[in-house]
Amino acid sequence: MDILGYSSSGWLPSALYLLLLLVLSLRAKGGAESSLFTGFIQAAILIVLLIHGFQLHDSVFTPQGFVFGFAQDLSLIAWVGLAFYWFQSWFLPISSLRWMVLFFACVCALLPNIFPGTLLSAKAVSDPWFKGHFIVATISVGLLSLAAMHAMLMSVQDRALHRQLAIVPNSRAAHWLEELPPLMTMESLLFNLLYVGFALLTLTVFSGLLFSQTLFGRPLVFDHKTIFALISWVLFGGLLIARWRVGLRGRAAIRWVLSAYTALLLAYVGSRFVLEVILQRV
């Protein structure tokens, strides 16, 4: 891949993620994973994460300046989500999320090769305020992306339990659902992700509002990105308040999570997609 004169093997992380998915698909249907196989997969994920991370850093923070776009944003979101999954999987029974996060990372890691992004700032790479804001924003959106995938998985599990989803007995999908933790455990894991993600999102939104001039070189403008970011923050905050005050859970909580995440994607990814692909502007 060539971005403003910078050359890198941008296809490599996606190819390695695909290889991991193929290895996982060869595992015997419904068979329990051995500790050796699990350790191998965990080590392989870590290696690919490091390759993907270095490639992302060098393609975004280039010698020419800060290069970014919706494809880089999605790739970073996928990287953070997978990294957090990898860390949490050592302590929590979330192996059923592995297929989803790996597939998401595989697709998103390939996108910057198709949409190389644009040079947004020649000075941002040396600005510690901007780098701090960028890192926190990426981590928060990555964690909330993992929470959204977790919520979708809970929705499938809930529908299967209530016989609203046709699953062939003894199929790979049936065994996959049987390996999931109980819904109560899944819900607890979901809100753990949301608490951390919302705290970082709060820091992201308000650092952008308070330091807009320092971070972006322009005063605060209430454009569609700012508005959708605030809508997402309000929705996630409302969800956590409802959880605390009235014990919101189940399908209502899942729908709330997905609605808030949709607004978040429109703010951080949708705005860049419209500018770059539809309007073809920086």
Side-chain angles (χ1 to χ4, degrees), residues 3-4 59-62 64-70 72-73 116-125 130 134 215-218 225 268 271-272 275-276 281-282:
I3 300 178
L4 301 176
S59 63
V60 171
F61 294 102
T62 71
Q64 290 77 20
F66 179 67
V67 175
F68 206 61
F70 83 94
Q72 288 74 22
D73 204 356
T118 53
L119 179 63
L120 298 183
S121 172
K123 299 179 180 179
V125 291
F130 180 85
F134 179 76
L215 292 172
F216 308 112
R218 57 182 173 80
K225 178 180 178 180
Y268 286 94
S271 59
R272 292 305 311 172
L275 286 173
E276 294 172 39
R281 286 160 44 193
V282 177

Side-chain angles (χ1 to χ4, degrees), residues 4-281:
L4 301 176
Y6 179 81
S7 178
S8 67
S9 300
W11 53 267
L12 183 59
S14 187
L16 292 175
Y17 286 133
L18 180 60
L19 181 61
L20 271 174
L21 288 169
L22 291 174
V23 170
L24 287 171
S25 70
L26 295 176
R27 184 170 70 91
K29 182 176 66 175
E33 287 186 5
S34 66
S35 57
L36 181 63
F37 181 81
T38 301
F40 166 76
I41 293 297
Q42 289 289 84
I45 290 175
L46 178 60
I47 292 171
V48 184
L49 274 172
L50 291 173
I51 294 172
H52 187 185
F54 281 121
Q55 186 269 331
L56 268 174
H57 179 275
D58 290 347
S59 63
V60 171
F61 294 102
T62 71
Q64 290 77 20
F66 179 67
V67 175
F68 206 61
F70 83 94
Q72 288 74 22
D73 204 356
L74 280 173
S75 188
L76 278 164
I77 288 171
W79 186 88
V80 172
L82 180 57
F84 193 78
Y85 160 82
W86 181 88
F87 177 76
Q88 289 285 80
S89 64
W90 290 104
F91 311 102
L92 300 171
I94 55 174
S95 60
S96 297
L97 270 174
R98 186 169 55 195
W99 264 90
M100 293 179 69
V101 291
L102 280 174
F103 180 76
F104 185 57
C106 179
V107 173
C108 292
L110 190 62
L111 290 177
N113 297 278
I114 304 170
F115 305 99
T118 53
L119 179 63
L120 298 183
S121 172
K123 299 179 180 179
V125 291
S126 59
D127 188 333
W129 282 105
F130 180 85
K131 272 198 168 183
H133 173 83
F134 179 76
I135 290 170
V136 172
T138 301
I139 294 174
S140 68
V141 180
L143 291 182
L144 293 172
S145 298
L146 187 60
M149 285 187 277
H150 193 90
M152 287 187 282
L153 187 58
M154 284 178 60
S155 179
V156 172
Q157 185 182 19
D158 179 71
R159 292 178 63 194
L161 287 173
H162 289 88
R163 308 293 182 181
Q164 295 177 350
L165 189 66
I167 301 293
V168 178
N170 296 318
S171 64
R172 186 179 293 273
H175 287 292
W176 176 64
L177 286 172
E178 288 171 1
E179 291 174 356
L180 292 174
L183 265 175
M184 291 290 289
T185 303
M186 294 282 283
E187 189 172 86
S188 177
L189 296 176
L190 172 65
F191 277 92
N192 287 339
L193 287 170
L194 291 173
Y195 291 137
V196 179
F198 178 72
L200 294 176
L201 181 63
T202 300
L203 185 58
T204 299
V205 169
F206 287 96
S207 67
L209 293 177
L210 294 174
F211 302 110
S212 182
Q213 184 69 47
T214 302
L215 292 172
F216 308 112
R218 57 182 173 80
L220 176 64
V221 176
F222 279 94
D223 55 11
H224 56 279
K225 178 180 178 180
T226 303
I227 292 171
F228 276 116
L230 288 172
I231 289 173
S232 175
W233 180 80
V234 169
L235 287 174
F236 276 119
L239 168 63
L240 296 181
I241 291 172
R243 171 74 170 184
W244 170 55
R245 293 298 299 272
V246 300
L248 183 73
R249 54 191 299 261
R251 294 184 181 182
I254 291 171
R255 287 194 293 267
W256 204 327
V257 170
L258 296 178
S259 297
Y261 182 68
T262 299
L264 189 67
L265 275 186
L266 289 173
Y268 286 94
V269 179
S271 59
R272 292 305 311 172
F273 178 82
V274 170
L275 286 173
E276 294 172 39
V277 179
I278 299 178
L279 300 180
Q280 296 187 345
R281 286 160 44 193

